[in-house]
Amino acid sequence: MTDSTDGERRDLIRQVRQRLEALGRAGLDRIPSPPALPKRGAALLEPPVSTPVLNAAREPAPSRRPVEPPSPTIRNAPASLFSEPELPGPVIAPAERPARLAALAAEVAACTKCPLLASTRTQTVFGEGSPTARLMFIGEAPGETEDHTGRPFVGNAGILLTDMITKGMGLAREDVYIANILKCRPPGNRDPSTEEAANCLPFLERQIAIIRPEFLCLLGSPAAKTLLQTSLGVTRLRGKWHRYRGIATIVTYHPSYLLRTPNAKKETWGDLQMLMKAMGLKLPERKKG
Ligand code: URA
């Protein structure tokens, strides 16, 4: 076996193990066999044959699992092992990902699909973080500071997002991946138009397919609307699991909204804790008294 095949095999084994562990932490003690799961939404159907999940909760399995409608919302389970192939293209080996992302970033930098944005931007803001991140945050579009620096979430909203990641979740910013629906700043920080979001979406889809995160955290309504194809707002979407092409996905308030509405921070903290639990991250001890 060549080194690269060996590496790909090890990466695949790592991904399968992590996914089984995430399913176990979510309380699933069985997963359906692959032939029983050809379609989105089928993950919670009662499987004809099932496979034990690593570290599954010890409760006895219910005799019948609820049949979920074919919707992107999953009520209790964050991840589905066999829905992962819904991402386009083959799994890219970790060692190749930086070069693939750099090539995609170069395409993005040359993009003029939205003539207004292309003529008003200082530069495109591709995204940054670990090419093998388990978790990807997706915001709306670059603001003024991002447009000047070429980096996502580095203004005031970015400072709050960084605190959410580091102080809240106990991760390093470099461990996750951060991107936006739009790679260009809309003039005056207005919301992205539907056409702009549709023009830019293929870039984000390719970015997600290269990184192949296990979890997505969609920040704010434009991200949720674009990726989950829903007209529901964040208040209705947050606090539960969704699925984007087989990836366990949560929606929460955008950090800019949290800066304007600090009372909503506790709900976002609840969303992050749900995410942390599914990722197997340690929750902070509750202060006594
Ligand atoms: N808001 C966003 O949605 N993205 C950024 O990168 C910065 C602010």
Side-chain angles (χ1 to χ4, degrees):
M1 196 176 280
T2 65
D3 280 357
S4 92
T5 325
D6 229 12
E8 282 165 28
R9 202 168 133 255
R10 269 199 301 275
D11 187 45
L12 187 62
I13 290 169
R14 181 187 60 81
Q15 286 187 27
V16 170
R17 173 170 290 279
Q18 282 180 355
R19 193 144 293 243
L20 288 172
E21 285 170 354
L23 283 164
R25 284 189 298 270
L28 264 76
D29 61 354
R30 310 256 117 196
I31 51 170
S33 60
L37 285 173
K39 293 198 179 86
R40 164 187 285 232
L44 297 183
L45 296 177
E46 188 179 23
V49 187
S50 55
T51 312
V53 167
L54 302 182
N55 305 328
R58 293 275 167 254
E59 287 152 32
S63 58
R64 284 199 78 79
R65 292 196 186 286
V67 175
E68 285 285 299
S71 117
T73 299
I74 310 171
R75 269 181 208 97
N76 301 313
S80 166
L81 180 63
F82 295 110
S83 53
E84 194 159 11
E86 287 177 40
L87 285 173
V91 177
I92 313 283
E96 283 177 38
R97 291 181 195 178
R100 296 290 281 263
L101 289 168
L104 184 57
E107 265 188 65
V108 167
C111 178
T112 54
K113 275 192 239 172
C114 307
L116 174 68
L117 301 192
S119 66
T120 52
R121 73 186 178 214
T122 305
Q123 59 195 312
T124 53
V125 179
F126 181 66
E128 66 182 23
S130 165
T132 54
R134 294 181 66 202
L135 170 62
M136 189 162 169
F137 288 89
I138 300 175
E140 185 177 318
E144 190 179 9
T145 321
E146 290 78 17
D147 175 71
H148 282 302
T149 57
R151 298 180 56 209
F153 280 101
V154 287
N156 287 337
I159 293 169
L160 179 54
L161 177 63
T162 306
D163 277 353
M164 285 156 56
I165 295 167
T166 56
K167 297 183 184 155
M169 301 184 75
L171 297 170
R173 192 176 144 115
E174 302 72 42
D175 292 341
V176 303
Y177 199 94
I178 304 175
N180 282 303
I181 294 293
L182 291 196
K183 311 293 189 202
C184 297
R185 180 191 182 203
N189 295 348
R190 64 157 167 75
D191 284 354
S193 73
T194 311
E195 194 190 347
E196 288 162 352
N199 283 344
C200 219
L201 184 59
F203 290 131
L204 180 61
E205 284 175 334
R206 287 166 62 195
Q207 206 168 11
I208 294 172
I210 294 170
I211 297 161
R212 251 184 153 75
E214 279 175 79
F215 299 92
L216 293 181
C217 179
L218 308 184
L219 301 166
S221 171
K225 283 196 164 92
T226 308
L227 290 185
L228 299 180
Q229 297 185 331
T230 174
S231 56
L232 296 176
V234 175
T235 311
R236 299 282 302 281
L237 295 169
R238 59 156 297 278
K240 45 174 106 84
W241 286 102
H242 306 269
R243 184 193 300 202
Y244 168 76
R245 296 192 177 222
I247 302 175
T249 300
I250 67 157
V251 176
T252 197
Y253 294 114
H254 192 286
S256 303
Y257 175 80
L258 295 176
L259 289 174
R260 296 190 305 270
T261 322
N263 281 348
K265 282 186 183 172
K266 64 178 179 308
E267 283 158 294
T268 288
W269 178 227
D271 298 333
L272 294 182
Q273 285 179 299
M274 186 171 90
L275 185 55
M276 289 167 72
K277 207 166 147 218
M279 291 180 74
L281 302 177
K282 200 166 171 284
L283 296 174
E285 307 263 319
R286 283 176 124 202
K287 287 198 191 109
K288 295 208 177 90

